[in-house]
Amino acid sequence: MNKYKSTIPDVQRWDGLKFELFWRDDLISRVHVDGTTVYIDRLIQHPAKQLFWTNKMNIFQLSMIFEDRCWERNRDDIDDIIHNLGLKSYDLFEITKLTHGTNYNDCLWFKFEGENISFIDVMPRNRRGNPVIWQIKKSYIHLKRALNRRLNKYCFY
């Protein structure tokens, strides 16, 4: 365990933080912060599903990962977004806790200690709906494409 304990308030708030990284509802990593050191138990090594490149990093590196999962600081409407979240300023730590680090580009999200939620609770709104329906639609599209390829193979125009 890390012997260095900071007295700086911004560093202290990270100490003891525990969360898990998920891809949809699949557990990818478990993360624990001790002092200024972040320990990661990477359960799945798949590069598209893993945000962490190592099993140990510092809180600055973790904050950069959190920042990648948040809106840009210099975005034109960032003040409105911050206000709608109930925050007074751009705070990576709080924004990530409120949004769970969700992103429209992937299915990764953070589940913080004490939360009882799943992907359906945190996914971005354009993905809302019944996951079973998604699979049926996806299967139908693949089947339709495969049939079209076979029909085109035997049709002479």
Side-chain angles (χ1 to χ4, degrees):
M1 293 292 183
N2 191 350
K3 294 177 183 173
Y4 174 72
K5 298 287 183 183
S6 176
T7 57
I8 302 169
D10 282 344
V11 174
Q12 284 181 331
R13 67 194 292 205
W14 293 87
D15 191 22
L17 177 67
K18 292 181 183 178
F19 64 91
E20 297 170 326
L21 173 66
F22 284 84
W23 176 274
R24 293 188 179 266
D25 286 321
D26 297 331
L27 181 60
I28 304 299
S29 300
R30 286 192 177 96
V31 180
H32 175 254
V33 179
D34 184 28
T36 59
T37 305
V38 181
Y39 298 96
I40 301 122
D41 182 16
R42 298 182 302 158
L43 305 172
I44 295 177
Q45 302 292 330
H46 191 287
K49 294 182 178 182
Q50 187 59 259
L51 289 177
F52 304 107
W53 60 91
T54 182
N55 292 332
K56 188 176 175 184
M57 62 177 58
N58 60 44
I59 56 173
F60 175 74
Q61 293 167 315
L62 179 60
S63 72
M64 299 310 326
I65 290 172
F66 277 18
E67 185 158 16
D68 286 342
R69 307 298 295 177
C70 291
W71 301 282
E72 296 175 8
R73 289 176 187 264
N74 57 358
R75 186 177 157 145
D76 289 340
D77 61 346
I78 195 65
D79 292 334
D80 295 331
I81 293 170
I82 298 303
H83 177 74
N84 288 335
L85 288 173
L87 300 175
K88 294 179 180 162
S89 64
Y90 188 91
D91 183 341
L92 291 174
F93 188 82
E94 291 301 323
I95 291 171
T96 305
K97 285 181 88 172
L98 290 170
T99 64
H100 299 279
T102 58
N103 191 313
Y104 286 103
N105 299 322
D106 58 40
C107 297
L108 291 166
W109 62 282
F110 301 118
K111 180 178 178 181
F112 293 92
E113 187 175 42
E115 294 179 326
N116 187 20
I117 56 175
S118 65
F119 180 67
I120 201 91
D121 300 316
V122 300
M123 69 181 165
R125 73 176 173 270
N126 73 344
R127 293 189 177 159
R128 291 208 185 270
N130 188 335
V132 174
I133 300 289
W134 299 337
Q135 292 303 321
I136 292 169
K137 285 181 182 178
K138 200 178 201 182
S139 298
Y140 171 75
I141 290 167
H142 289 297
L143 180 61
K144 186 176 175 183
R145 286 180 184 158
L147 287 172
N148 283 338
R149 281 193 301 269
R150 286 194 178 168
L151 286 174
N152 288 337
K153 185 177 177 182
Y154 297 108
C155 292
F156 302 102
Y157 296 110

